[in-house]
Amino acid sequence: MSELEKVTINLGAVDLGQIDLLVEEGFYSNRTDFIRQSIRQQLIVHSGEIKQTTTYKYSALGVFKYSLDELEELQRGNKKLELKVIGTLIIDQNVPLALVQETFKSVKVFGIIKARTDIKNYLQTLRDLS
């Protein structure tokens, strides 16, 4: 199973009661099962919009990992990344912030960034600028 992220939501008492009733009646194994299936259903409903968006606006869909060697190679070639990701962006722990600053021109991640805190903060400033 892929790595999961925890999401917290607030629900009204009536909505929560209806979910609990469906769980009790055996439609779902628990609240989490109901919420996951509901989210998946909405993603299916909007799959056309997601596909169109990923095709025309975002350059990457999935998990993308950048190592020290890969970013140093970009730096040597005087290349900068204009990265748009739906999924996960991973930057290895041994990558210095200065190298990220020199190699990332812009970044938008709709999903998860896994990197040291200083790098996450820097990438957030790039996102805020775009």
Side-chain angles (χ1 to χ4, degrees):
M1 180 180 255
S2 63
E3 189 172 321
L4 300 176
E5 288 289 321
K6 185 175 185 172
V7 175
T8 304
I9 62 170
N10 296 316
L11 294 174
V14 173
D15 292 338
L16 192 56
Q18 291 177 5
I19 293 169
D20 288 344
L21 178 64
L22 291 171
V23 169
E24 186 175 300
E25 293 297 317
F27 289 98
Y28 301 94
S29 59
N30 54 43
R31 290 174 175 176
T32 300
D33 182 40
F34 171 85
I35 293 166
R36 277 193 191 123
Q37 288 191 41
S38 298
I39 290 170
R40 287 185 188 119
Q41 183 60 40
Q42 285 303 302
L43 292 173
I44 290 169
V45 167
H46 295 286
S47 63
E49 292 88 348
I50 292 170
K51 183 173 176 25
Q52 181 179 3
T53 300
T54 57
T55 302
Y56 298 109
K57 294 182 183 176
Y58 301 102
S59 56
L61 178 64
V63 178
F64 295 85
K65 182 177 181 183
Y66 287 94
S67 67
L68 178 63
D69 291 341
E70 290 168 319
L71 292 177
E72 285 177 336
E73 186 175 326
L74 287 170
Q75 182 186 38
R76 283 190 296 274
N78 290 321
K79 295 180 182 173
K80 293 208 176 234
L81 291 169
E82 294 186 33
L83 189 60
K84 295 177 184 175
V85 173
I86 297 175
T88 303
L89 171 62
I90 302 169
I91 299 178
D92 285 346
Q93 294 294 311
N94 64 340
V95 173
L97 175 60
L99 182 57
V100 172
Q101 291 169 328
E102 291 178 29
T103 54
F104 279 80
K105 181 176 181 180
S106 67
V107 64
K108 280 195 177 191
V109 177
F110 295 90
I112 302 165
I113 298 174
K114 292 188 176 190
R116 290 192 331 265
T117 302
D118 58 335
I119 291 175
K120 280 185 185 181
N121 291 340
Y122 174 72
L123 294 176
Q124 183 62 44
T125 64
L126 287 182
R127 180 188 166 112
D128 293 343
L129 294 174
S130 36

